[in-house]
Amino acid sequence: MGTCLKGNMSVLSLVLFLLSVQQFWAQEDPLLPFSEHLDLEHNVQLKWGFDKIQGTILFQLSVNTSGWISFGLSPNGGMTGADIVIGGVDNKGTYFTDRHALGNSMPVVDQKQNYKLLSLSESDGKTVMKFQRSIESCDENDLPVTILPMKLIYAYGETDDISYHKAQRGTKEVNLLKYMPRASLSNATYFDITMENFMLPANQTYYHCKTARAPTFDSKQHIYRIEPVITNYDLVHHLLLYRCPPTVTEPLELECYTKTERCMETIAVWGVGGGDFEFPEVAGLPIGGNVGDFFYRLEVHYNNVNKTAGRVDSSGLRFYYTSKLRQHDAGILMTGLAVIPSYAIPPKAKSFLTYGMCDTTYIPKVLETANDLQVFSVMMHTHLAGRKVRVGHFREGKQIDLLAVDENYNFEFQQVTNLGKTKTVKLGDKLLVECTYNTENRNTLTQGGLSTSDEMCLAFLFYYPAMNLSGCESLPHFSSLVSEMGAGDTGTWLYMMNTMAWNDSSINEYQQTLKKINQTVIVVNSFNKASITNGTIPDLKVSPPEPCVRACATKNLAFMSLFLCLAGVTTAE
């Protein structure tokens, strides 16, 4: 009896575990983070994710029917010119075709089948079709997926006889590549953290900080949406909000970085030209409850180009929150090149590279509990000389990915962007932030620093589950830099840098020196406990594969494999 009961309990535990796993993956597929119902009745749901670096987009269409289903991209919302796929499950198995529509008639099958079917199933009156294609158009019958809103069309039938869909059709405009989730909450509650009638000094660059307590909550809440509240768009360059450690217990307002800053865990970030940001459905920023009654530091960077005195500003951030908790607490990790004037960018450079490295191996050194990072969004940041930003992802000494890339960085438009899918950064991985600068119009050195005329090279990673982590950065090992350049001390090095005849040769030599010397790698937790070690910069490969070319290569490889098989030749796995 006891043995039987124990066995039944074991089976029950296993069933509950499998159900919980199934429920978890039903709630969260890291490759399909975005979702929209395409119809008002919620019979048609589209989930999708994309990888701009690999150049692919993944779709999953779910329709409440046991018949055929279809999805398409349309130039105007109608059939004519639409790029369409049709699929389903019949008594012979699955069927799936890539087509295009010439008008209000049966879509024509494409000669090139550029959509790849990944799975197709039918159960309980629902058909689910998962498929992938290139973001770019691979032939004249495909429409490219653009960064602008696109008109999506759908249709379906009650049987697998593909015929006129009647009223079972529709269209919806969605921005697939710049999608912003929108939580539909009946009572939107929010609080603001802003400056209050702050009068700016007549400085071109000024950082003002305000440390204050956030509203208190009896229970934990999740912030799901952050909006900028900007009084003077011509003055405010960026906003940062930091959570303070428990040792900060008093409000304070003064110029930033005039005393030792203790509040350095990034909670929110906004840059000039950016808009609001909403977290994915699985994550939210925690506040209240067991998160504690913390103080927060608002940092506003004012770029007062004309040095106008007497301007008054009340800019800051608005936080929408809910007691309906998400699955994960989210966090923001600052990575890149530490912002200190121990390096310099030479003048007259067409394309000068700097590097900042995060080695996650050392995160457990500053945390009692550490976990992998599930990164879903990023904001990349440089100043006026910045032209490109790339974030390389390395594992066991090899580059496995480009986590994020901005090949046309625009100082006037700095936006938190969704990666398109959730990317896993395992403990032990390295992240390399590479920035490209152009200083052809400058005659003097550009220092790393806070001023708009100085430079930065940063990537703010939005991730879950949150850790008590502030930053993971690096900088060139300064004594190694001085020694490698043949200077005996700091003063001599500064003189060399300022009197150097900067040309293509000397610029390249200096860049290579910066890259090959040891780096000082710094990992800091929320309580300002730091791990400081040495590391080296890995080589970053920056050319992503061409998806259409890769698709052709895959087909050619398939034909070659078939030929070898028919010829009786085997290949090594």
Side-chain angles (χ1 to χ4, degrees):
M1 179 73 176
T3 303
C4 182
L5 179 60
K6 184 182 294 184
N8 289 338
M9 290 298 292
S10 299
V11 172
L12 179 60
S13 298
L14 178 60
V15 171
L16 291 174
F17 171 75
L18 292 175
L19 286 174
S20 67
V21 170
Q22 183 180 13
Q23 183 180 15
F24 173 82
W25 284 110
Q27 292 174 345
E28 175 191 353
D29 184 341
L31 300 182
L32 297 165
F34 311 124
S35 176
E36 281 276 349
H37 283 98
L38 302 184
D39 64 330
L40 296 176
E41 295 78 19
H42 288 192
N43 287 321
V44 181
Q45 183 184 36
L46 181 71
K47 291 185 177 182
W48 75 97
F50 54 86
D51 190 327
K52 285 186 178 180
I53 296 167
Q54 296 298 323
T56 57
I57 186 164
L58 174 67
F59 295 104
Q60 179 177 287
L61 183 69
S62 304
V63 184
N64 292 335
T65 183
S66 297
W68 62 269
I69 63 176
S70 69
F71 167 81
L73 309 175
S74 169
N76 54 21
M79 287 281 287
T80 304
D83 179 10
I84 295 171
V85 291
I86 299 178
V89 181
D90 59 17
N91 54 10
K92 298 179 181 179
T94 62
Y95 56 92
F96 177 84
T97 48
D98 175 10
R99 300 170 177 245
H100 64 280
L102 301 176
N104 293 326
S105 58
M106 176 67 72
V108 179
V109 177
D110 289 3
Q111 288 187 352
K112 297 180 180 179
Q113 294 289 297
N114 293 310
Y115 284 81
K116 179 181 179 181
L117 179 65
L118 300 179
S119 65
L120 216 170
S121 63
E122 178 188 304
S123 63
D124 299 325
K126 175 179 285 190
T127 301
V128 181
M129 182 167 67
K130 184 185 289 187
F131 51 98
Q132 181 176 292
R133 58 156 281 181
S134 166
I135 290 175
E136 300 294 333
S137 58
C138 287
D139 64 52
E140 67 274 9
N141 295 319
D142 290 341
L143 292 181
V145 181
T146 70
I147 61 172
L148 299 175
M150 300 191 69
K151 292 179 174 61
L152 313 181
I153 61 174
Y154 69 89
Y156 60 96
E158 296 177 355
T159 70
D160 289 298
D161 178 19
I162 303 174
S163 58
Y164 182 54
H165 46 64
K166 299 180 182 179
Q168 297 168 152
R169 61 166 296 277
T171 182
K172 187 171 187 176
E173 190 171 73
V174 178
N175 194 328
L176 294 168
L177 299 183
K178 286 195 172 182
Y179 183 75
M180 181 66 69
R182 287 290 186 271
S184 55
L185 301 179
S186 56
N187 296 318
T189 52
Y190 64 85
F191 64 89
D192 293 344
I193 299 180
T194 65
M195 298 299 173
E196 295 181 15
N197 298 318
F198 169 64
M199 185 173 291
L200 274 72
N203 297 7
Q204 180 175 341
T205 295
Y206 184 82
Y207 281 72
H208 196 66
C209 282
K210 175 182 178 180
T211 302
R213 191 191 302 273
T216 57
F217 300 95
D218 294 334
S219 60
K220 179 179 173 181
Q221 311 285 312
H222 264 155
I223 294 169
Y224 64 89
R225 182 182 177 88
I226 302 174
E227 290 182 354
V229 180
I230 309 298
T231 306
N232 299 287
Y233 276 97
D234 62 323
L235 294 177
V236 180
H237 171 263
H238 75 245
L239 303 167
L240 284 166
L241 187 73
Y242 302 94
R243 181 183 288 131
C244 301
T247 53
V248 177
T249 57
E250 297 292 336
L252 183 66
E253 188 167 344
L254 76 168
E255 182 180 356
C256 303
Y257 306 107
T258 53
K259 59 180 295 185
T260 301
E261 296 291 359
R262 292 182 289 167
C263 313
M264 294 302 295
E265 181 186 1
T266 307
I267 295 300
V269 56
W270 175 87
V272 61
D276 53 355
F277 177 76
E278 189 153 322
F279 288 84
E281 294 180 358
V282 298
L285 282 174
I287 191 168
N290 59 3
V291 179
D293 189 15
F294 289 103
F295 275 74
Y296 293 80
R297 176 171 69 92
L298 174 66
E299 172 185 304
V300 183
H301 175 190
Y302 294 103
N303 186 30
N304 189 355
V305 177
N306 297 319
K307 299 182 181 180
T308 306
R311 296 285 298 272
V312 176
D313 187 74
S314 297
S315 298
L317 294 164
R318 175 166 294 171
F319 300 89
Y320 290 83
Y321 63 92
T322 177
S323 58
K324 187 177 180 181
L325 299 182
R326 269 89 187 284
Q327 190 173 351
H328 300 288
D329 289 345
I332 302 175
L333 177 63
M334 183 167 65
T335 65
L337 185 56
V339 185
I340 56 176
S342 65
Y343 65 94
I345 302 168
K348 307 303 179 183
K350 296 179 182 178
S351 179
F352 187 83
L353 304 179
T354 65
Y355 302 92
M357 183 174 65
C358 168
D359 190 341
T360 63
T361 302
Y362 302 106
I363 289 178
K365 300 288 186 182
V366 299
L367 296 178
E368 291 184 4
T369 302
N371 47 256
D372 297 341
L373 291 82
Q374 308 299 329
V375 182
F376 56 87
S377 295
V378 64
M379 177 178 171
M380 295 176 280
H381 180 69
T382 78
H383 285 174
L384 293 168
R387 296 295 182 268
K388 300 179 182 180
V389 185
R390 299 168 175 144
V391 184
H393 186 184
F394 297 80
R395 182 172 296 158
E396 297 179 353
K398 297 181 180 179
Q399 183 179 340
I400 63 169
D401 195 8
L402 285 166
L403 193 73
V405 172
D406 190 341
E407 295 287 344
N408 298 284
Y409 180 82
N410 187 343
F411 174 81
E412 299 296 334
F413 186 77
Q414 302 182 41
Q415 179 76 44
V416 179
T417 56
N418 291 314
L419 294 183
K421 64 180 183 181
T422 303
K423 298 187 177 184
T424 301
V425 177
K426 294 185 177 181
L427 291 178
D429 291 356
K430 292 181 180 179
L431 301 174
L432 183 66
V433 183
E434 177 198 82
C435 293
T436 303
Y437 304 96
N438 181 290
T439 58
E440 287 182 289
N441 62 345
R442 300 188 181 190
N443 297 314
T444 59
L445 294 172
T446 300
Q447 301 287 342
L450 299 173
S451 172
T452 307
S453 57
D454 294 333
E455 268 307 334
M456 296 183 178
C457 180
L458 298 172
F460 295 88
L461 308 182
F462 290 65
Y463 73 97
Y464 62 81
M467 295 181 281
N468 292 320
L469 200 58
S470 171
C472 184
E473 305 162 287
S474 77
L475 68 156
H477 191 270
F478 189 62
S479 61
S480 298
L481 176 61
V482 171
S483 175
E484 188 71 24
M485 294 187 68
D489 53 50
T490 302
T492 305
W493 177 79
L494 287 172
Y495 178 79
M496 288 176 57
M497 293 292 290
N498 283 291
T499 58
M500 181 86 69
W502 291 109
N503 52 41
D504 289 348
S505 177
S506 57
I507 288 171
N508 182 64
E509 184 179 353
Y510 174 57
Q511 179 178 289
Q512 294 304 317
T513 299
L514 280 175
K515 183 181 178 184
K516 73 179 181 180
I517 62 173
N518 278 342
Q519 306 292 308
T520 301
V521 182
I522 308 166
V523 181
V524 185
N525 70 9
S526 306
F527 311 104
N528 296 325
K529 178 183 177 182
S531 165
I532 302 176
T533 55
N534 287 331
T536 55
I537 298 296
D539 291 326
L540 183 65
K541 299 176 183 177
V542 298
S543 299
E546 294 290 341
C548 292
V549 173
R550 187 174 66 248
C552 293
T554 301
K555 290 179 182 178
N556 291 338
L557 181 62
F559 284 126
M560 180 60 71
S561 297
L562 177 61
F563 173 78
L564 292 174
C565 179
L566 293 174
V569 179
T570 59
T571 57
E573 293 293 332

